[in-house]
Amino acid sequence: MHTVLLSAEDFLASQGGPGATASLAVQVPQSDDASNPASWNLNGQTAALSLPLLSTVKQVKEALSAQVLGGMPASKQQLRFAALGFLKDGQTLAELNIGSGAVLELSLKSRGGKR
């Protein structure tokens, strides 16, 4: 099944224009992995963020890092939206049609090595 998205401009217009913001919920994973610093706060909580719809996925990750995850690098984070799968850093919330009430899932990137 293919999800049909509005253009970023049409989505922004439907949400109140270019200055519109989105209130998002991000489901943070529970991690007992000793290699992840305790300061990252991976406690299975749901984090609330409010960001402009013109924010990129990378900016969402940076806001999560600063507000919730105790400095976890954006490069270690992966965000997933159920309707679209994993999100690319350069895309904006408007391009992805992600508005208020959306729930994103955070997961940790694992690069090669042992699984």
Side-chain angles (χ1 to χ4, degrees):
M1 185 173 134
H2 186 71
T3 304
V4 178
L5 298 176
L6 296 172
S7 71
E9 293 78 17
D10 288 346
F11 185 75
L12 280 171
S14 75
Q15 302 293 307
T21 60
S23 297
L24 307 173
V26 180
Q27 184 60 49
V28 177
Q30 175 78 35
S31 176
D32 300 322
D33 186 338
S35 67
N36 295 328
S39 65
W40 286 0
N41 300 320
L42 301 173
N43 302 318
Q45 75 273 36
T46 299
L49 293 176
S50 183
L51 294 162
L53 289 172
L54 290 173
S55 298
T56 62
V57 171
K58 184 168 185 177
Q59 289 169 321
V60 173
K61 292 177 182 180
E62 289 166 348
L64 265 175
S65 175
Q67 297 174 29
V68 181
L69 300 177
M72 174 193 283
S75 62
K76 294 222 178 266
Q77 302 173 44
Q78 268 187 313
L79 287 175
R80 186 174 183 281
F81 185 51
L84 301 172
F86 288 105
L87 308 178
K88 294 185 178 1
D89 281 354
Q91 294 178 296
T92 67
L93 296 175
E95 286 173 55
L96 296 164
N97 292 192
I98 295 174
S100 286
V103 178
L104 304 178
E105 295 171 46
L106 173 71
S107 59
L108 303 183
K109 278 189 183 176
S110 55
R111 297 205 179 264
K114 290 186 248 174
R115 293 201 174 232

